[in-house]
């Protein structure tokens, strides 16, 4: 059980890392598609440009599935046995790749614009997420300081009321 949980945690950490850098990978993919490079080749170029990163690994798996296994882009990404998404289970990546595959049907220019827009959208999501974390950190810090101040006061009040009740009960006997 511990081994399985450890594996899941490692996969989730890799996925979080991929999501952080995925916006720049999509930007590169969109740029390559905008230059008129076919999707299959563009994935290979992005994987080479981002070699050593998690995003590079994702596109390397997809590119390898296309070139060596002869899969179409949809299968290279979403195949149940060897699709790239299998190693990086993320809703953000899944949605982005579905947008890519739908938009590539309308041509590389449309796919390029779609990837550039998705890239911008993901960057904005991360910016909002960071801002929310900053705000939450401030709120949590304020709450901790209030707790540190109020805890002794409340304990004193409770002790005082307890002592008063003991006095009254012993006095009434």
């Amino acid at each position: 059980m511990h081994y399985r949980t450890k594996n899941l945690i490692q996969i989730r950490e890799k996925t979080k890392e991929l999501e952080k850098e995925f916006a720049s990978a999509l930007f590169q993919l969109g740029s390559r598609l905008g230059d008129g490079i076919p999707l299959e080749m563009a994935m290979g170029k992005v994987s080479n440009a981002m070699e050593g990163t998690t995003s590079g690994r994702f596109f390397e798996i997809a590119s390898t599935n296309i070139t060596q296994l002869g899969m179409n882009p949809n299968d290279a990404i979403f195949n149940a046995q060897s699709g790239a998404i299998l190693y990086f289970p993320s809703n953000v990546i899944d949605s982005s790749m579905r947008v890519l595959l739908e938009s590539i049907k309308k041509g590389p220019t449309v796919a390029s614009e779609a990837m550039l827009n998705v890239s911008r959208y993901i960057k904005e999501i991360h910016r909002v997420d960071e801002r929310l974390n900053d705000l939450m950190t401030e709120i949590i810090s304020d709450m901790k300081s209030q707790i540190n101040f109020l805890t002794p006061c409340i304990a004193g009040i409770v002790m005082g009321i307890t002592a008063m009740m003991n006095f009254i009960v012993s006095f009434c006997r």
Side-chain angles (χ1 to χ4, degrees), residues 40 62-71:
E40 294 82 357
S63 180
T64 301
N65 286 347
I66 292 170
T67 56
Q68 293 181 1
L69 300 178
M71 295 181 172

Side-chain angles (χ1 to χ4, degrees), residues 7-70:
N7 249 0
L8 290 174
I9 291 171
Q10 288 175 343
I11 289 171
R12 182 64 194 143
E13 290 303 316
K14 284 189 345 187
T15 302
K16 283 182 182 179
E17 184 181 326
L18 176 61
E19 286 177 355
K20 285 181 183 174
E21 63 188 33
F22 202 63
S24 62
L26 289 180
F27 182 81
Q28 285 189 27
L29 183 63
S31 297
R32 305 252 194 251
L33 291 171
D35 293 340
I37 298 174
L39 176 62
E40 294 82 357
M41 291 177 64
M43 283 184 171
K45 288 185 183 276
V46 170
S47 76
N48 289 338
M50 299 193 74
E51 192 173 356
T53 65
T54 311
S55 295
R57 180 75 181 125
F58 175 82
F59 284 109
E60 179 184 346
I61 292 169
S63 180
T64 301
N65 286 347
I66 292 170
T67 56
Q68 293 181 1
L69 300 178

Side-chain angles (χ1 to χ4, degrees), residues 120-166:
R120 212 171 299 120
Y121 174 73
I122 292 173
K123 285 180 183 175
E124 290 298 318
I125 286 175
H126 287 301
R127 187 176 314 152
V128 168
D129 190 40
E130 287 174 14
R131 180 68 179 134
L132 286 174
N133 283 337
D134 288 345
L135 291 173
M136 289 299 293
T137 302
E138 282 181 37
I139 291 169
I140 290 171
S141 174
D142 288 346
M143 290 175 71
K144 282 182 180 178
S145 64
Q146 288 176 2
I147 288 171
N148 289 337
F149 172 73
L150 292 176
T151 301
C153 294
I154 293 171
I157 292 169
V158 169
M159 291 300 291
I161 291 173
T162 304
M164 185 174 71
M165 288 176 63
N166 282 338

Side-chain angles (χ1 to χ4, degrees), residues 164-173:
M164 185 174 71
M165 288 176 63
N166 282 338
F167 178 72
I168 293 171
V169 168
S170 65
F171 184 72
C172 291
R173 282 188 184 176

